[in-house]
Amino acid sequence: MTEPAPISEAAASADTLEGDLVKRARRGDLKAYDELVKRYQERIYATIYHMTSNHEDANDLAQESFIKAFQALKAFRGGSSFYTWLYRIAVNKTINFLKQRKHKLHFSLNDLDFNTEHNPDLVALISDKTPHRDAGLAELQNKLNEALHKLSEPHRMVVVLHDVQGVSHDEIAEIMDCNIGTVRSRLFYARQQLQGHLAEYLQ
Amino acid sequence: MNENENNFEGVRRLLKLKQHEIPPPGYFPGFSDQVISRIRAGEAGGAQTFTERLESVAPWLVTFLQIFETKPGLIGAVATSLCLLLTIGVVMGERTDNASKTILPTAEFASAGASSASITAPPLVAADSTGIVASTNPATSLQPVSTLFGQPNASLFQSASFAPAR
């Protein structure tokens, strides 16, 4: 029988460390909060970026989310993990921002990393469509973002959190303050819509 | 659920492309510094904005106000219902006034009877030599004021007329 002791110990110590960092940050220790920001900056930025498809907006909203979280740390009771609580702040901020900016959509897409060209799944999707692979990937990236923006904010958020970020259904329900059934139905509907919008790449 | 996952395998593979979108190089190393310096600047500036303070004190109110931001049509509906409430309030107020006015004459008769019965009752109305009544009581201010020469006797007067005598 295998024992996952080292992993759970590592996870436990990470939790303890995070708890300690949160306690210190609540007392106003900015060094501790800096550690927490470094821990979650990539995930928070990525979630907001995938929702807005705009690097500048994502940068502003991610910074504002961390600032707001610091200011509200005293109200954090520890009922959920700090990570879930932080996510909730970022998600609410992003959805409010998108509702206000509904008709002023402006993409400012990040570049694709080097590994994209070596991802067999993605290459298979575009290789028979265009002889120029780079152009194909850029076009696909654009189409994908356009398709995502045809979804409502809650549907897009569920897809981004689950299919792009890999967040579990339970955690999404906690982050979005809804039940797990709602998360599943939103995910199903969103994928169905995306399948329709991206049909040319899925044949 | 697994069946659903299989049905959307193509979409899920496509969505993997999003994971390859990365911010410009050197973005994340400076990110936390920017956040911390903005927090420090906010603390040095001393103060949260009114909205931020409101958010920490009454987040439900902020959420309520945000509904107005996202649904401007709702502002009109709420404003209209407030105006309606105000109008109904004014109309109801006027009706109450009218009702009290209809009660007033009865009250006058009652007070007249009471004043004739007791001489010791203090005068409610103070009239000066010009005959102007100084009272804030609407019931007493409507009472006839006694003149210097007493009440005019209608039988002693003859109505004047410019019509030629026949």
Side-chain angles (χ1 to χ4, degrees), chain B:
Chain B
M1 203 65 205
N2 279 339
E3 198 183 322
N4 287 337
E5 304 274 325
N6 292 337
N7 287 343
F8 297 114
E9 194 49 46
V11 174
R12 295 186 70 198
R13 264 191 291 151
L14 253 179
L15 284 165
K16 291 270 185 279
L17 181 69
K18 291 291 288 170
Q19 294 172 347
H20 294 280
E21 292 180 24
I22 50 161
Y27 171 70
F28 284 122
F31 181 86
S32 68
D33 290 342
Q34 285 180 1
V35 171
I36 299 299
S37 60
R38 277 182 69 177
I39 290 171
R40 280 209 175 101
E43 282 175 351
Q48 295 174 303
T49 61
F50 176 72
T51 321
E52 284 166 350
R53 262 183 287 145
L54 195 66
E55 259 184 64
S56 57
V57 175
W60 60 270
L61 185 61
V62 177
T63 315
F64 179 68
L65 292 174
Q66 276 168 350
I67 296 170
F68 287 131
E69 282 179 23
T70 53
K71 292 175 184 168
L74 205 63
I75 301 172
V78 171
T80 311
S81 53
L82 279 176
C83 285
L84 265 172
L85 269 175
L86 192 70
T87 314
I88 290 166
V90 169
V91 169
M92 293 296 281
E94 278 180 1
R95 275 191 188 172
T96 317
D97 282 354
N98 288 339
S100 65
K101 272 179 190 169
T102 54
I103 294 164
L104 261 180
T106 326
E108 275 173 35
F109 288 127
S111 67
S115 64
S116 62
S118 73
I119 304 159
T120 52
L124 292 169
V125 180
D128 61 9
S129 59
T130 57
I132 298 169
V133 178
S135 171
T136 52
N137 187 344
T140 54
S141 67
L142 294 170
Q143 287 177 354
V145 182
S146 60
T147 62
L148 189 63
F149 304 105
Q151 288 293 325
N153 190 348
S155 61
L156 295 174
F157 296 97
Q158 205 170 9
S159 57
S161 172
F162 292 102
R166 289 179 191 170

Side-chain angles (χ1 to χ4, degrees), chain A residues 188-201:
Chain A
F188 179 82
Y189 178 80
R191 283 169 172 172
Q192 209 172 32
Q193 293 291 305
L194 286 175
Q195 205 165 36
H197 296 315
L198 298 164
E200 59 179 309
Y201 288 96

